[in-house]
Amino acid sequence: MIVHAGNLKTPIWIYDIDRDCIFWANDSALKLWQSPSLQELKSRDFSKGASKAVTQRIKQYQEGFKQDRIYYETWQFSPNGIDTKALCVFSGYILPGGRMAMLVEATPSSDFRGSVQASSNLLASFSVSSEFISGNPAFIKAFGSQILSLQSIFSSLSDYQEIIAKIMKEHHYENDVRLETISGEHWFHLNGELVNDVTGTEHILLNLYDVDARKKVEQHLKEQASRDPLTGLLNRRGFLTALSKYIDNAQAFSLFYIDIDGFKRVNDSLGHSIGDKVLVEVAERLVEHSYQFEHIGRFGGDEFLIIMPIITNEIEPLSIARTLVRKLSRSYRNIQDTPLLVSASIGIANFPSDSINSDDLIMFADAAMYHAKVAGKNRLQQYEIGLELALRRTSDISRYLSVAIKNNELSLHYQPIIDSVSKEIVSFEALLRWSNPQLGEIRPDETIKVAESTGLIEVIEHWVLNQAMKDLTILRTAMDCDANMSINISGMHMAQTNFVENLLMIIRYNDLQPKDIAIELTEGVLLEGLERENSPVKQMTSLGVALHIDDFGTGYSSLAYLHQIPASVVKVDKAFLSSNSDVSTTLDVINTLLHKLNMKSTIEGVETKAQEIAVQALGFSYQQGYYHCRPKPLAEHLRTAKNPTI
């Protein structure tokens, strides 16, 4: 082997461990050791100037070679006082006579390519009582020559105590640790062993590998993984970790659950870039109070969570929460420096009085926040027992709604709109129904609210549109009428960029014309975007789709804007008929106004013969209500149809 290795470019030599000298070396090794000849190199005594730590480490190698171990390490050599780093492969070599020597293959750091970097092994030995004995040149260069004790090089006393205890008990320890070098705190991979020297005296031998660059990258990635990139606050993962640790410490605290009221309106009307600016400013306003908070996190979207310690004789959490509501509800400025008005709703749950479980605490704080929003927004709410029930129901509805179409749980009921004079059906209103095996019958308003909040509204209403149009053809034939189909649409769904395009596609798919469909929208939705030339409302009317104002009298009811809305029919809310007071004058004025605006009127909630006659006398010939017909599924309409063979 020695003969063939002589011509290799890689420096190779055999080190006689027992005699502290080189037994053989190839020409490349002579160059590394800056020796003129093999004879000169073999004559060198390597015990001179070698630290005890290096000697002990090589003795460890020798014991390992007897078990066929191979070591890969970076070492620093100093031939003629010139430092040279090399990546070394140490393996055993049997000398004549049977003694175990060390075969060294060394790749100098100057030969490394790409991202490979060389850093020397730092070796040091200490007594079992922590006194420094010796270190190799790389160790002395990193930590200096005035080392008092092993403890003095540790950044953390607890780390030192843990490592010493393990070495003394198990004779070995290996892990990444922070140590104090002469240039500051640095990360090393520490391999510590309890060894005996030739006299049998125990020593602690440290072998250190520089892993500072790797650890800093790891820490950076870990920090990124727990931080929200937009605001710099803790993200959901980071906050949950912090919350878990805080609960483990068993110190009382309040959990604030903050939601920004009106944020969706900002995103929808001004774009996500403006919305992001608002979120960043919200985070900045929260950070202004960071001296009072342990942790602040952005939990998702426009929701923020805060941990506030409850400390005796300090400011109460409720007082801080009130201050936050005021601060977060101050106007924000968009990119044109125009003030934006949003507010904040805050829910509060306390540890440990409300719960000692992190999931429950978050749910309780969220439930309290939800209650604050329902109560009018821009306020705070302390958790009370039972507040989470509504939130749990919403959560259950969300979970089951996502599979309601797949499980055939949705259905449509149709209620006709009657011309009370001719008794003909002029329109059918499609009404969504949902029956779930676990939840039972879910109210339509609950269904739509959850669908909007979970992003399912487009899918749900796409199903409604398609099913209603499919059934219209059947209803027309069965009822022997030319009625159209009136379908309620969420403002959120209509705001989707492809809404009108999809609507037209469904109409054509069912072999219908735009005039066969009426879209029912509330006054507020119809008023939004009227100034835009390409608004969905204007696109639909230009195509021939009829627009109906739904629940007139319960929303904006602004007569000043009514003439601007391109609706053909106004549906007067049933609240007028259920009122105990005489509203005939009001209804007469409404009908007269609508007539002058060339709009037809339909009145909802007609439940008795007397009501039919009364509202007909006021000019409301188009009527809808239980008196004429309750909402029924298609099958029931077919059973009472004029043409029952359909």
Side-chain angles (χ1 to χ4, degrees), residues 154-173:
F154 276 84
S155 300
S156 165
L157 176 60
S158 60
D159 284 351
Y160 163 74
Q161 292 171 337
E162 176 189 349
I163 291 169
I164 287 298
K166 284 206 170 187
I167 290 176
M168 298 306 296
K169 180 180 179 181
E170 302 174 8
H171 293 189
H172 180 262
Y173 178 87

Side-chain angles (χ1 to χ4, degrees), residues 392-410 434-440 442 447 450-451 454 456 460:
R392 278 179 176 158
R393 177 168 174 80
T394 300
S395 177
D396 289 341
I397 291 175
S398 302
R399 185 156 44 92
Y400 290 116
L401 184 58
S402 63
V403 293
I405 295 177
K406 178 182 176 182
N407 294 341
N408 295 316
E409 296 174 7
L410 299 183
W434 177 24
S435 179
N436 176 266
Q438 286 74 32
L439 301 176
I442 297 93
T447 303
V450 171
T454 57
L456 291 169
I460 299 295

Side-chain angles (χ1 to χ4, degrees), residues 10 16 82 91 94 109 150 196 206 255 264 279 298 321 328 342 401 414 448 478 508 523 540 575-576 600 614:
T10 301
D16 189 334
I82 300 174
S91 57
I94 305 298
S109 60
L150 179 56
N196 295 314
L206 297 187
L255 180 67
K264 184 183 180 304
L279 292 176
R298 181 186 173 205
L328 296 177
V342 297
L401 184 58
Y414 300 102
I448 297 303
R508 289 171 176 167
E523 300 161 73
M540 284 189 287
F576 286 96
K600 295 180 180 178

Side-chain angles (χ1 to χ4, degrees), residues 285-286 288-289 321-332 344:
R285 295 184 188 186
L286 293 176
E288 288 176 5
H289 282 269
R322 292 188 186 96
T323 301
L324 284 181
V325 168
R326 290 195 300 271
K327 279 184 172 290
L328 296 177
S329 300
R330 294 201 311 260
S331 65
Y332 297 74

Side-chain angles (χ1 to χ4, degrees), residues 367-542:
M369 180 275 294
Y370 179 79
H371 188 81
K373 294 180 83 70
V374 171
K377 306 178 181 180
N378 191 27
R379 64 193 63 208
L380 64 89
Q381 172 67 49
Q382 184 89 33
Y383 170 72
E384 298 172 1
I385 294 175
L387 287 183
E388 75 279 9
L389 297 179
L391 193 64
R392 278 179 176 158
R393 177 168 174 80
T394 300
S395 177
D396 289 341
I397 291 175
S398 302
R399 185 156 44 92
Y400 290 116
L401 184 58
S402 63
V403 293
I405 295 177
K406 178 182 176 182
N407 294 341
N408 295 316
E409 296 174 7
L410 299 183
S411 64
L412 292 179
H413 285 201
Y414 300 102
Q415 186 174 32
I417 296 170
I418 307 294
D419 184 332
S420 62
V421 176
S422 66
K423 304 302 180 182
E424 295 292 323
I425 298 174
V426 294
S427 183
F428 290 97
E429 181 179 2
L431 300 168
L432 180 63
R433 297 292 184 264
W434 177 24
S435 179
N436 176 266
Q438 286 74 32
L439 301 176
E441 301 291 331
I442 297 93
R443 297 196 321 271
D445 61 327
E446 279 190 293
T447 303
I448 297 303
K449 185 176 182 179
V450 171
E452 287 182 334
S453 66
T454 57
L456 291 169
I457 189 64
E458 185 175 358
V459 175
I460 299 295
E461 289 189 343
H462 187 280
W463 178 87
V464 170
L465 286 165
N466 190 60
Q467 189 64 46
M469 292 185 204
K470 177 182 176 182
D471 290 347
L472 176 60
T473 302
I474 301 173
L475 284 167
R476 279 175 162 179
T477 305
M479 309 301 285
D480 192 21
C481 67
D482 193 32
N484 65 12
M485 181 63 73
S486 184
I487 304 169
N488 293 274
I489 291 295
S490 159
M492 181 180 292
H493 183 194
M494 192 185 72
Q496 299 292 325
T497 54
N498 58 350
F499 170 75
V500 177
E501 180 183 345
N502 288 340
L503 175 64
L504 191 58
M505 181 182 67
I506 298 171
I507 291 173
R508 289 171 176 167
Y509 178 80
N510 287 282
D511 295 324
L512 297 173
Q513 299 297 318
K515 65 182 180 62
D516 297 324
I517 302 302
I519 299 298
E520 291 195 16
L521 298 161
T522 62
E523 300 161 73
V525 172
L526 283 165
L527 282 170
E528 289 182 7
L530 277 178
E531 70 285 352
R532 289 190 288 119
E533 194 61 38
N534 65 337
S535 69
V537 168
K538 291 182 179 179
Q539 289 183 54
M540 284 189 287
T541 54
S542 67

